[in-house]
Amino acid sequence: FDPTFAVPPAAAANFCRHSPSPSPSSASKMKLATLLVVGLSAASAFGVAPASTTLKKSLSKPALVVNSPLRTKDAAAASSPLFRDPAVTRGGAVPGWAAYNEALDKNPLTAKACTSLVGWALGDLLAQLFISGGPFDMKRFLTLSVFGFIYHGPSGHYFYNWLDSKIEGTGAGAVATKVAIDQIFWCPIFMSVFFAYLGLVNGDGLAAIGDKIKNDLLSACQGSWKVWPLVHAVNFKFISTKHRLVFINGVQIAFNMFLSIIGTKK
């Protein structure tokens, strides 16, 4: 190559006349391509991902589903100890229910005695306020409350545990047999003890207590037979042994109003 060599002016002019010049459309396409390349390079330099990549990531992990409050609530429920351990008693909306169940497991006799104390106290309280009328009889209220504590609760604990141990199951035959035993045998015994207790508290003699049982026992049993067969059918069918007395006392608040009236009438 000879650097001193120079193209004659005439040849240069002739080359420029015959060289193909770019068309306007080709020039526009080249400019657009150049702008796209430069823009993408600048975006990559600043860490901006292309829109298509961001869209794919958004679709692969939808925020509305993953971060939904419902999903968060389910996850919290699944992690709760109550769901991990089915043996744990759920307190639910009843204050003290879990503590009461713990007491039934640890000290069943005391827990059931206290349950009957509350049931009998409420029964007589309501009877005096809404049925009997007159001034409040504190002695009567305490007498019936104590009966629930010292006899109804403990005797119910032993009787229903014994009955459930002798007649197992919740079939129709087992339930009917338990109801029959409860109402034919246990009911007269319970009512006789109830009248004898009231007589002793009031200072009555054995003759007066015997007359009370003779005159009012049948009426008390007939009142029981109108209510308790159906209640005990539900009790023996659906209620566990340790919860029998709390269920009975829930119903018996109304029945105790009847007993407090018939037991204290002259």
Side-chain angles (χ1 to χ4, degrees), residues 85-101:
D85 186 359
V88 174
T89 302
R90 293 166 173 79
V94 181
W97 181 247
Y100 177 72
N101 278 278

Side-chain angles (χ1 to χ4, degrees), residues 97-159:
W97 181 247
Y100 177 72
N101 278 278
E102 184 178 357
L104 285 175
D105 293 331
K106 293 182 178 180
N107 301 292
L109 185 62
T110 302
K112 292 175 184 178
C114 292
T115 301
S116 292
L117 183 150
V118 173
W120 282 76
L122 285 176
D124 183 64
L125 176 65
L126 295 174
Q128 291 199 51
L129 291 178
F130 299 107
I131 299 178
S132 300
F136 187 79
D137 189 343
M138 181 58 69
K139 179 184 177 182
R140 165 180 157 179
F141 173 77
L142 293 176
T143 298
L144 293 172
S145 300
V146 170
F147 177 79
F149 181 77
I150 67 173
Y151 183 75
H152 182 264
S155 66
H157 167 73
Y158 289 113
F159 172 71

Side-chain angles (χ1 to χ4, degrees), residues 11 16 25-26 32 50 52 62 68 85 90 104 131 153 184 247-248 266:
C16 291
S25 61
S26 299
L32 180 60
S52 60
S68 169
D85 186 359
R90 293 166 173 79
L104 285 175
I131 299 178
I184 296 174
F247 172 77
I248 289 171
K266 302 299 181 181

